Amino acid sequence: MTKQMDFDLLVIGAGPGGYHAAIRGAQLGLKVACAEREALGGVCLNVGCIPTKALLHAGEMMAAAHHASDFGLTFGEQKLNVAKLNGWKEGIVKKLTGGVGALFKANKVTHLVGQASFVDPHTVKVGDKTYTAANIIIATGSEPARLPGLEVDQERIVDSTGALVVPDPIPARMLCVGGGVIGFEFAHVYTNLGSKVKVIEFLPTIIPGADADAVKEFSKAMKKQGIEIETQTKANRAEKKQDGIHVELESVGTGEKRTEVFDRVLVAVGRRPRTDGLNAQAAGVTVTDRGFIPADTQQRTNVPHIYSIGDVAGNPMLAHKAMKEGLVAAEVIAGKPAAQDAVAIPGVVYTSPELAWVGLTEAEAKEKGYEVKTGNFPFSASGRAMTLQQTDGFVKMVVEKDTDLVLGVHIVGPHASDMLGEASLALEMAATATDIALTIHAHPTLGESVLEAAEASHKQAIHIMNR
């Protein structure tokens, strides 16, 4: 690489995509620095994926304790120590972010602390110092989108960051504005902690992008747990009063308006790319009207030595997508033949039951001209699911009729996210339903249900009636 530069590679942002890029670059022999203005690990480790899953687990343990008497296990009155819950969650975050720092040291990645801002195409100011780099990766991530009329104060009206701080007492009435992944994960958390939760969604359906059958089953499970769901509904404004937050709700279809009162409101209407302070124009990098920095399959922007990865590069805004893109960008910079050519990117809602999917929905496959067949296997027929007392949901496999090629897998059920790896690998390797059916799966496991769904697509599943 160019010797007069301070670094071969400078990564801006130390979230999942950024730290993956930095470490891979160092592994491949590059002199690497990574600039981060906040904590290592980005949104995911600090105020996203990880702390959310901690709260989900805590809430699910409370729910499980309620049902333990079904098999003879009884407890005394449940008491929630909110301070201890928040502290436990933060302890997990601290351990993981510290782990990223240790990985940087082990791989000789220089950690630069401060806001990174372009001076020119090869120069970046971090804090009060400037550094030059032959190659630069932009991995600045995203932040919660705002909704006019609902001003976030991170106490009574919160975004996903504020919702991670569980208040004491637990809010009796909670509104989640937005029926996507974030909205439902927090709805599930607070329902299990004792809140009465309503979720509203502007669109006709919740969880955009998921298979219609899976969404229907997921919605049924959420309602059974006490979560109220209203689609084609929007929140116009909120007024904080002594008796609660008065929110004006409006039906998208009829225009009918009403006011309801809540103790806490979560605004979860998506995320927007974060480029504030980056000064990308100084490097000549194209930024779209929506704030994204587009990249090609090798993650290059319009400036060949500057790369864009993760949320700032475009949808879907998922940590695992960012990780893959970070590896690709670093490998391309190191001269390796890499590209982001994933067949499909999985999606997960980490509730109980979970909703997880990868590949085409049945509707998408038909729209693309495929003649499809499907195989469905319900967890109510799974012995392992019965022993876990988690029999809601199913595995649905979308298969091309003539070739038997697996096009998509959609799971509603216990540990759906853990079963998705097999489905993702099947799509990447162009596996057929027969390939999966011929693979011996351990018994008794939840993963057997993927095999049964494959067999069901051939009308040969053993543990259900094949119709």
Side-chain angles (χ1 to χ4, degrees):
M1 292 292 178
T2 308
K3 291 184 178 180
Q4 64 265 32
M5 298 287 181
D6 294 321
F7 298 101
D8 300 325
L9 168 61
L10 195 159
V11 182
I12 302 175
Y19 79 74
H20 272 70
I23 291 171
R24 179 53 53 86
Q27 289 173 339
L28 295 174
L30 302 177
K31 185 180 180 183
V32 181
C34 185
E36 173 57 60
R37 69 183 183 185
E38 297 173 357
L40 292 177
V43 167
C44 179
L45 266 63
N46 290 279
V47 291
C49 321
I50 299 301
T52 307
K53 304 310 165 283
L55 292 181
L56 283 162
H57 175 69
E60 285 161 14
M61 289 300 97
M62 290 186 67
H66 281 301
H67 300 290
S69 60
D70 294 348
F71 48 85
L73 182 60
T74 56
F75 299 93
E77 181 184 356
Q78 283 191 358
K79 294 181 179 179
L80 175 62
N81 185 324
V82 173
K84 192 169 184 178
L85 173 61
N86 284 322
W88 169 74
K89 172 201 67 186
E90 291 306 317
I92 295 171
V93 170
K94 185 177 180 180
K95 184 175 182 179
L96 287 172
T97 55
V100 174
L103 288 170
F104 274 7
K105 289 180 182 178
N107 287 280
K108 296 180 173 57
V109 174
T110 300
H111 176 203
L112 306 176
V113 180
Q115 167 70 52
S117 180
F118 279 102
V119 176
D120 61 45
H122 282 284
T123 307
V124 176
K125 183 179 180 182
V126 181
D128 58 359
K129 296 182 180 180
T130 57
Y131 303 90
T132 57
N135 299 278
I136 298 168
I137 295 176
I138 301 169
T140 49
S142 64
E143 60 191 9
R146 295 293 184 236
L147 190 63
L150 276 73
E151 184 178 346
V152 170
D153 60 15
Q154 300 298 35
E155 292 183 3
R156 299 176 74 186
I157 301 178
V158 298
D159 58 20
S160 57
T161 300
L164 286 169
V165 180
V166 178
D168 192 3
I170 301 296
R173 304 160 295 179
M174 184 166 179
L175 173 68
C176 295
V177 182
V181 174
I182 295 172
F184 271 99
E185 288 187 353
F186 278 110
H188 190 60
V189 166
Y190 279 90
T191 293
N192 283 335
L193 294 181
S195 299
K196 174 61 180 175
V197 181
K198 171 181 280 191
V199 178
I200 63 169
E201 169 56 47
F202 181 85
L203 297 173
T205 183
I206 60 172
I207 317 295
D211 183 83
D213 290 339
V215 168
K216 183 178 179 181
E217 181 74 7
F218 175 81
S219 179
K220 183 171 70 175
M222 293 299 101
K223 289 177 180 177
K224 188 165 73 171
Q225 293 175 24
I227 297 173
E228 187 178 352
I229 302 171
E230 286 188 19
T231 56
Q232 292 189 292
T233 302
K234 63 180 180 178
N236 290 331
R237 60 182 60 86
E239 185 179 356
K240 302 168 196 171
K241 296 185 178 181
Q242 190 171 358
D243 65 335
I245 306 165
H246 292 238
V247 183
E248 182 185 89
L249 303 178
E250 179 180 344
S251 169
V252 175
T254 65
E256 180 184 350
K257 297 177 182 178
R258 67 187 187 280
T259 297
E260 295 188 18
V261 183
F262 303 91
D263 300 297
R264 205 176 210 200
V265 175
L266 166 66
V267 180
V269 291
R271 299 185 64 83
R272 60 189 181 190
R274 177 185 285 178
T275 55
D276 59 295
L278 185 63
N279 196 28
Q281 63 270 23
V285 173
T286 297
V287 181
T288 70
D289 292 341
R290 295 180 60 197
F292 291 106
I293 298 177
D296 62 17
T297 57
Q298 291 191 316
Q299 304 306 135
R300 282 191 174 93
T301 67
N302 62 302
V303 181
H305 70 277
I306 300 178
Y307 300 71
S308 173
I309 65 170
D311 291 1
V312 76
N315 291 312
M317 292 185 176
L318 298 168
H320 43 278
K321 165 188 168 271
M323 293 173 180
K324 175 62 176 177
E325 291 176 347
L327 298 178
V328 167
E331 289 167 7
V332 169
I333 290 167
K336 303 294 183 181
Q340 167 57 301
D341 58 354
V343 173
I345 298 173
V348 183
V349 187
Y350 291 89
T351 48
S352 181
E354 292 182 344
L355 168 57
W357 68 93
V358 64
L360 299 177
T361 66
E362 182 178 357
E364 288 170 343
K366 289 177 178 177
E367 287 171 7
K368 289 179 177 292
Y370 291 105
E371 187 175 357
V372 303
K373 56 184 178 180
T374 61
N376 288 54
F377 184 78
F379 284 107
S380 59
S382 163
R384 184 67 179 120
M386 291 180 194
T387 66
L388 295 171
Q389 288 192 304
Q390 298 182 55
T391 55
D392 288 337
F394 55 75
V395 178
K396 175 180 178 179
M397 190 171 291
V398 181
V399 180
E400 185 177 18
K401 190 171 184 180
D402 292 338
T403 66
D404 200 41
L405 190 71
V406 178
L407 301 175
V409 177
H410 310 272
I411 308 173
V412 180
H415 302 283
S417 57
D418 297 322
M419 288 182 275
L420 207 59
E422 178 180 11
S424 298
L425 182 62
L427 265 67
E428 282 292 335
M429 298 189 70
T432 62
T434 299
D435 290 327
I436 294 174
L438 289 173
T439 302
I440 296 175
H441 290 60
H443 173 80
T445 60
L446 296 170
E448 286 177 293
S449 301
V450 178
L451 179 153
E452 292 270 18
E455 291 277 44
S457 73
H458 302 142
K459 310 299 181 187
Q460 292 181 336
I462 296 298
H463 293 100
I464 57 172
M465 297 296 293
N466 294 280
R467 298 175 180 175

